[in-house]
Amino acid sequence: MTAGPAAVIDRVTLVVSDLDRAEDDYVRTFGCRVEHRGDIDPALVRVLCIRRARGRRSLLRLGRERIELLEFTEMAGRPYPLGSTSTDLWFQHMAIVVTDMRRAYLRVMANRRFRPISRNGPVRLPDDSGGVMAFKFRDQDGHPLELLAFPEGDVPGSWRTGNGSGSFVGVDHTAIAVSDSARSARFFGSVFGFRAAGRTENRGPEQADLDDVDDVHVSVTRLSADLPAPRMELLDYHVGTRRPIPHDTASNDIVATHSVVRVASLDATAAALARCGTPLARDDLMILHGGIRAALVTGPDGHRFLAEEQAVPGLRRSRGVLAHVTHQPGDVVGD
């Protein structure tokens, strides 16, 4: 193995009600490219703790980043909660970098299945909030998305050579609403090595228009800015509904967006979770197609993360905390 980060976000997964429609929206509007389409791996269904469910999967690429769409055809989950706001803890958005905000905005709004969150179109945030142009909206199923345009002359190096389609370059980050920034930062730092890399306090009329939240105040914490995109951000709103993720939320519910985190060692991840007081159980572990060991990790506020470890051919696994993981009937193992 070559040395590298302990964990990186491999892709962001959205649960959709209609795979054909969602795929068409993301391909036609953003210029995503379909990398793979097929049935959902039965072992993935089990690791997501969904019983007797089948479904379809589409893996999309936008620039260098990947977006995964899952449709559970035999056991569809609940729709996105009505009346949701940016402050509710189930809020999780993907930020798509664009080169031409006006052109990208008009293209998004030309899709009648998309609807705005932001009040008056794209918003330029103050310099102390990043100085970017941004616009938030929802897709057909209610998933929140954001367009992000960096100021001219201040575009990060990684986005100057992006290879997306037209105005849409790639996925910069995924952001989750949290109830306590410090607690969440400690958790993700301990479990995945995602260290806090800066924090801003966003408020004022521009942020209120962007989020459609009056008298808004949100603490934004960036994690692991040195890692490749997509990275992660924590959004700690101090106003608004701030409703918690319901305890009965299932992984096939539309609201159950999750990040797939590629880890160097699932044993190390499990040990870190145990130290945080949330140990993995034997049934939490599965072997996916291609020999990938995987486990579902839940954050402090209930956000889901699928931790995947790619098996290395010819390398004998050490006897770590997950040494009890074995092939079970029905596990899909292959290339």
Side-chain angles (χ1 to χ4, degrees), residues 1-323:
M1 282 187 185
T2 57
V8 295
I9 296 177
D10 182 76
R11 60 194 183 274
V12 179
T13 300
L14 307 176
V15 179
V16 301
S17 59
D18 184 322
L19 187 72
D20 298 327
R21 183 180 62 193
E23 183 185 89
D24 183 70
D25 283 341
Y26 280 68
V27 169
R28 289 180 179 270
T29 302
F30 307 132
C32 291
R33 175 169 55 87
V34 179
E35 275 199 346
H36 176 76
R37 207 174 197 273
D39 294 335
I40 297 176
D41 182 349
L44 175 60
V45 172
R46 292 197 298 277
V47 79
L48 292 177
C49 304
I50 306 170
R51 295 183 179 180
R52 299 182 300 277
R54 291 184 181 180
R56 301 185 297 160
R57 169 181 181 262
S58 180
L59 184 62
L60 309 176
R61 183 175 290 276
L62 180 59
R64 300 184 184 93
E65 291 72 52
R66 301 197 295 177
I67 302 166
E68 184 176 49
L69 307 177
L70 300 180
E71 178 196 6
F72 293 95
T73 53
E74 289 190 354
M75 186 179 247
R78 293 173 294 188
Y80 206 94
L82 294 175
S84 295
T85 78
S86 301
T87 74
D88 292 319
L89 296 188
W90 56 76
F91 182 88
Q92 178 170 359
H93 79 238
M94 280 192 306
I96 299 174
V97 176
V98 299
T99 57
D100 184 328
M101 176 58 80
R102 177 170 174 75
R103 182 179 177 187
Y105 165 71
L106 291 175
R107 187 169 183 84
V108 165
M109 288 295 93
N111 187 330
R112 295 186 178 182
R113 290 197 285 258
F114 291 168
R115 59 192 188 278
I117 293 174
S118 300
R119 292 170 175 167
N120 301 304
V123 177
R124 187 191 184 281
L125 297 179
D127 291 341
D128 58 4
S129 297
V132 299
M133 285 285 292
F135 172 70
K136 290 183 179 179
F137 61 102
R138 296 184 186 275
D139 68 9
Q140 170 69 23
D141 282 309
H143 300 115
L145 303 165
E146 181 179 39
L147 303 182
L148 191 65
F150 294 100
E152 187 174 351
D154 196 24
V155 179
S158 59
W159 294 118
R160 292 177 201 153
T161 56
N163 58 350
S165 175
S167 297
F168 302 90
V169 182
V171 181
D172 181 78
H173 64 267
T174 180
I176 62 173
V178 300
S179 60
D180 186 321
S181 295
R183 180 182 66 170
S184 290
R186 286 194 300 270
F187 178 86
F188 294 114
S190 298
V191 174
F192 296 132
F194 294 166
R195 305 298 179 187
R199 173 168 163 161
T200 60
E201 301 295 330
N202 293 11
R203 47 165 63 93
E206 298 89 355
Q207 189 71 41
D209 283 346
L210 177 65
D211 289 334
D212 190 23
V213 176
D214 292 329
D215 301 318
V216 68
H217 174 200
V218 54
S219 301
V220 182
T221 303
R222 294 182 299 124
L223 302 182
S224 296
D226 58 326
L227 293 180
R231 290 166 286 271
M232 188 173 165
E233 289 188 359
L234 309 177
L235 307 177
D236 187 353
Y237 285 89
H238 304 286
V239 299
T241 51
R242 306 186 77 223
R243 290 171 291 186
I245 296 175
H247 293 298
D248 63 348
T249 298
S251 293
N252 60 335
D253 290 338
I254 299 296
V255 77
T257 299
H258 66 266
S259 297
V260 179
V261 182
R262 183 61 55 89
V263 300
S265 168
L266 197 54
D267 289 339
T269 302
L273 285 167
R275 290 192 296 270
C276 290
T278 55
L280 292 176
R282 181 182 299 267
D283 293 342
D284 292 333
L285 308 162
M286 289 289 167
I287 298 179
L288 305 180
H289 187 81
I292 298 173
R293 297 199 299 166
L296 190 64
V297 174
T298 302
D301 289 299
H303 296 282
R304 292 166 166 82
F305 300 83
L306 182 64
E308 290 186 349
E309 175 196 290
Q310 179 70 57
V312 179
L315 180 64
R316 183 178 180 180
R317 294 194 184 105
S318 60
R319 294 192 175 186
V321 295
L322 302 187

